[in-house]
Amino acid sequence: MTQQIPLFIDGAFVQSESTTLIPVTNPATQEVIAQVPCATDAEMESAIASAKEAFEDWKEVAVSERARLMLRYQALLKEHHDEIATILAEETGKTFEDAKGDVWRGIEVVEHACNIPSLVMGETVENVARKIDSYSYTQPLGVCAGITPFNFPAMIPLWMFPLAIACGNTFVLKPSEQDPKTPTRLAELLVEAGVPKGVLQVVHGAKEQVDKLLTHPDIQAISFVGSVPVGEHIYRTGTDNMKRVQAFAGAKNHMVVMPDAQKNQLINNIVGASVGAGGQRCMAISVAVFVGETREWIPEVRDALAKVRPGKWDDPEAGYGPLISPQAKQRVLNYIQAGKDQGAECILDGTECVVEGCPDGNWVGPTMFRGVNTDMTIYTDEIFGPVLIAIEVDTLEQAIELINECPYGNGTSIFTASGAAARKFQHEIKVGQVGINVPIPVPLPFFSFTGWRKSFYGDQHAYGKQAVKFYTETKTVTARWFEDDIHSGPNMSINLK
């Protein structure tokens, strides 16, 4: 009998009463490995009500105790690291090494949440006016919610609920219906760490369940990671319903290749950054901008990409796994065909990729184009597959202009040996996350994930100090204590005296 993924409501893992079940398939074989329910309206209401009730107690728990919960949780995540990675690899198709990285980057955020006492400290100034002091507190918002994508089923949920909970909020998580087993295991370990009943809820479903979270009056804040059109819908709907929203959307990340770059390092990095995880990363490098004579390196990059072989998660020789679904595969194939039809030169074609023993897998081999212009759909759209586009320019200034004209601003990088070129690039580029000789510049958790422009809707970003601000409200107190009962008459001015 196929496993049905449970809901986690009011401190218990329960089987949904929903008759609408979504199959969870192994993307390498199409075998159905589980079914995920679309939570009923009553179940959604129960989860939100439980989180609202739990908040009244949880917000009063000492911040040091909340930190200790996170300390216990990160220890359990480390203890079960490889187990979680195995679950993750089986349902996403990621290679085991890539799955371990997914889990570990999430653990790093939980480690950051262990520092919550210092992260939520307020400020104070004595004698802002004579014998008047001012000080501020950070206080939790209430019930928060997270909507997470398929491509990082451990890391991105761990971007959200640990910090929100550590700040004193309760949380409703709606993970991707395509790989729900991993976030379910994350919830089980949080229970083992001692999280009180109702502090975390996990519900499953699709658009109907997401819209319930976006419009429910008891949800105070929404965190989302996904595509551009959905991200815009999440942001507009959430904010129209008076919620605080952070919505991470699409990307088109460029890597600039300068003539003084170390060529072998550049090639190794561009291969991993472009087709690693099958290109299913919002920080994947999908455009390589070759400056000047580095255009002569394009055939060597193509040859290096051609050596990468996709395969099953437990194949130690596999460079990456299958795409998440047949629909995702077809979408990528459609983009590749569009590139050919619009006149781009396909110098490496992965459309006929096969993997021995897995004829039904969602395989797309490494693919590379050159002769691309910025009007082609393979350039304008996020492909989310193992496709690298080569664009050739004459100068660094032209490369910067090209990137700044792109509507996305998630990540970019430059490979160079010149400090002056790197300084110019990092200063002038209109992108939130910049790598210098680093291909995928995802910040560590004590910074924040800072996509710009069409890659992000909202004000405060994920993890780091900005996430603490996102999940809290500031209360400022102005206080005076009278030493005697001297009557000086009313103060009719706004000035403090």
Side-chain angles (χ1 to χ4, degrees):
M1 182 176 178
T2 304
Q3 173 193 9
Q4 181 173 318
I5 303 297
L7 307 174
F8 182 54
I9 298 176
D10 198 30
F13 290 94
V14 296
Q15 291 297 306
S16 173
E17 295 182 358
S18 175
T19 57
T20 304
L21 302 174
I22 301 171
V24 180
T25 59
N26 180 331
T29 64
Q30 307 311 322
E31 173 194 2
V32 176
I33 57 176
Q35 292 179 317
V36 62
C38 291
T40 66
D41 189 69
E43 289 164 344
M44 294 292 293
E45 287 287 350
S46 178
I48 296 168
S50 173
K52 182 180 180 181
E53 181 181 1
F55 173 67
E56 296 304 315
D57 288 330
W58 182 243
K59 70 179 182 179
E60 302 298 338
V61 171
V63 66
S64 55
E65 181 53 39
R66 287 186 253 134
R68 292 185 194 108
L69 171 65
M70 291 301 141
L71 284 166
R72 294 191 297 271
Y73 189 43
Q74 61 91 21
L76 285 169
L77 290 170
K78 290 176 181 177
E79 179 183 342
H80 294 272
H81 177 274
D82 285 7
E83 173 210 338
I84 301 168
T86 300
I87 296 169
L88 192 156
E90 288 175 339
E91 64 178 348
T92 64
K94 285 188 178 186
T95 65
F96 187 51
E97 288 302 313
D98 196 25
K100 288 196 294 184
D102 187 332
V103 177
W104 185 255
R105 293 308 299 264
I107 290 173
E108 289 177 331
V109 179
V110 180
E111 289 178 332
H112 185 59
C114 296
N115 298 308
I116 198 65
S118 61
L119 296 175
V120 295
M121 282 183 176
E123 299 173 318
T124 182
V125 175
E126 187 179 41
N127 280 338
V128 294
R130 185 174 295 275
K131 295 186 178 180
I132 296 178
D133 306 324
S134 284
Y135 43 94
S136 65
Y137 297 114
T138 53
Q139 295 186 335
L141 299 175
V143 182
C144 302
I147 302 157
T148 59
F150 75 85
N151 58 330
F152 286 95
M155 182 184 77
I156 294 179
L158 292 174
W159 279 10
M160 297 179 183
F161 71 80
L163 271 171
I165 289 171
C167 287
N169 303 287
T170 55
F171 202 88
V172 181
L173 175 67
K174 206 303 285 182
S176 171
E177 65 276 14
Q178 295 181 284
D179 42 19
K181 296 175 70 176
T182 300
T184 298
R185 186 64 181 129
L186 299 180
E188 290 172 348
L189 291 174
L190 189 62
V191 172
E192 188 175 338
V195 69
K197 183 177 76 169
V199 171
L200 176 68
Q201 320 279 332
V202 182
V203 296
H204 298 290
K207 185 179 185 300
E208 180 182 350
Q209 288 69 32
V210 168
D211 285 342
K212 182 77 171 182
L213 297 174
L214 292 175
T215 58
H216 199 287
D218 291 335
I219 301 291
Q220 305 302 314
I222 297 280
S223 302
F224 167 81
V225 177
S227 63
V228 169
V230 181
E232 186 172 354
H233 168 75
I234 296 286
Y235 180 74
R236 294 189 184 279
T237 306
T239 53
D240 284 349
N241 283 273
M242 303 302 292
K243 304 188 190 313
R244 190 175 290 187
V245 180
Q246 52 177 207
F248 297 83
K252 199 71 178 181
N253 305 315
H254 299 66
M255 176 189 288
V256 175
V257 183
M258 296 297 291
D260 58 0
Q262 210 290 329
K263 184 168 68 172
N264 291 334
Q265 290 289 342
L266 174 280
I267 291 173
N268 288 335
N269 279 276
I270 202 169
V271 167
S274 60
V275 303
Q280 298 175 117
R281 296 171 176 156
C282 67
M283 288 290 284
I285 293 296
S286 54
V287 182
V289 184
F290 291 88
V291 178
E293 61 264 32
T294 65
R295 55 175 47 94
E296 298 173 5
W297 300 357
I298 292 175
E300 294 178 71
V301 173
R302 175 204 59 203
D303 293 346
L305 281 169
K307 295 176 183 177
V308 178
R309 180 177 61 81
K312 288 183 66 179
W313 73 270
D314 55 355
D315 178 356
E317 301 301 318
Y320 61 89
L323 301 188
I324 191 65
S325 67
Q327 294 79 11
K329 174 183 176 180
Q330 189 58 52
R331 180 176 182 272
V332 173
L333 294 181
N334 290 345
Y335 274 117
I336 294 172
Q337 186 59 50
K340 298 173 182 177
D341 293 344
Q342 292 171 10
E345 180 186 0
C346 187
I347 60 175
L348 180 63
D349 191 341
T351 56
E352 300 298 326
C353 177
V354 294
V355 171
E356 185 177 353
C358 298
D360 298 322
N362 308 317
W363 309 109
V364 177
T367 300
M368 187 173 179
F369 283 94
R370 71 184 303 181
V372 176
N373 66 54
T374 56
D375 295 327
M376 295 178 179
T377 55
I378 56 171
Y379 180 81
T380 60
D381 294 1
E382 183 178 31
I383 298 174
F384 227 59
V387 180
L388 178 64
I389 295 163
I391 289 186
E392 302 160 44
V393 299
D394 294 326
T395 66
L396 175 60
E397 288 76 13
Q398 290 174 343
I400 292 171
E401 181 180 7
L402 173 80
I403 297 169
N404 286 345
E405 288 178 352
C406 176
Y408 299 105
N410 213 35
T412 188
S413 64
I414 184 171
F415 272 67
T416 180
S418 167
R423 173 64 173 76
K424 177 181 178 66
F425 183 76
Q426 74 178 31
H427 179 67
E428 297 183 10
I429 209 70
K430 297 177 182 177
V431 176
Q433 296 166 119
V434 180
I436 298 173
N437 298 317
V438 174
I440 304 179
V442 178
L444 287 169
F446 27 86
F447 288 91
S448 295
F449 189 93
T450 51
W452 284 12
R453 296 189 283 160
K454 204 173 179 179
S455 293
F456 178 72
Y457 298 89
D459 298 310
Q460 301 291 343
H461 292 80
Y463 61 80
K465 293 179 181 179
Q466 292 196 32
V468 173
K469 291 181 179 179
F470 178 77
Y471 289 123
T472 59
E473 196 70 88
T474 300
K475 178 181 289 183
T476 303
V477 179
T478 304
R480 174 169 57 189
W481 297 96
F482 297 106
E483 297 179 1
D484 47 41
D485 194 22
I486 298 174
H487 297 282
S488 58
N491 178 14
M492 305 304 293
S493 167
I494 196 173
N495 292 329
L496 294 174
K497 296 181 179 178

